[in-house]
Amino acid sequence: MSEAVREVPKKERPEFRNIHVTELSNYRMPLASIVSILHRISGFLIFGLLPFVLYLLQESLRSEISFAHYQGFITYPLVKLIILALVWGYMQHFCAGVRHLIMDMHIGLDKDSARQSSAAVLAVSLTLTALVALKLFGVF
């Protein structure tokens, strides 16, 4: 009977704890998580500013005078930066959404493919935003 009750030695297992605030500077998130967080931020940006953008669109379509007013309003550099932030939000959200749709079809779920697709999302969205910025600030 004593043989059946003998104790089995415990393995030393690593202990995973929550990250403390002082350790945040040492923690490095994977690229896929950064793209996921940016997808949420861009969605919030688009959703939060959509009523304002629709109001500006409505007012610019009301008459020729209001269109001329908003055409002059868009020439301010701060307004151009806000438009550029909205364009980035849309491009990031669209590209990350396409990535998520492809992942919903069980394509690219392994670690290397997820890293490559998240890098592609960042590259494509930033490139498209840069092209719009060049057009917006008059380089093209």
Side-chain angles (χ1 to χ4, degrees):
M1 185 76 171
S2 64
E3 292 178 15
V5 184
R6 70 179 169 169
E7 293 182 21
V8 178
K10 290 186 177 181
K11 279 187 180 180
E12 288 295 322
R13 294 180 56 183
E15 198 172 305
F16 297 103
R17 296 184 180 182
N18 291 335
I19 298 175
H20 192 264
V21 175
T22 58
E23 297 171 347
L24 284 177
S25 62
N26 299 335
Y27 184 72
R28 185 172 162 247
M29 291 193 308
L31 191 58
S33 67
I34 293 171
V35 169
S36 177
I37 291 170
L38 288 176
H39 181 72
R40 292 166 194 231
I41 291 171
S42 63
F44 179 75
L45 179 72
I46 291 169
F47 183 75
L49 294 178
L50 185 64
F52 179 66
V53 170
L54 290 177
Y55 171 74
L56 290 179
L57 178 65
Q58 173 192 347
E59 291 299 313
S60 70
L61 296 175
R62 186 177 299 259
S63 68
E64 291 180 17
I65 296 172
S66 65
F67 178 76
H69 171 73
Y70 285 107
Q71 194 174 16
F73 181 67
I74 289 178
T75 60
Y76 295 121
L78 182 62
V79 175
K80 287 183 180 183
L81 288 176
I82 293 170
I83 291 171
L84 195 60
L86 282 170
V87 167
W88 169 82
Y90 175 74
M91 296 296 180
Q92 171 70 25
H93 200 74
F94 179 79
C95 293
V98 169
R99 176 181 179 255
H100 286 299
L101 286 175
I102 291 171
M103 290 174 75
D104 284 343
M105 293 185 292
H106 301 286
I107 299 171
L109 294 178
D110 59 310
K111 190 175 182 179
D112 291 330
S113 298
R115 186 180 301 122
Q116 290 173 353
S117 65
S118 59
V121 164
L122 284 177
V124 169
S125 66
L126 290 175
T127 303
L128 291 174
T129 304
L131 289 174
V132 171
L134 291 175
K135 179 68 175 169
L136 187 64
F137 287 101
V139 177
F140 277 2

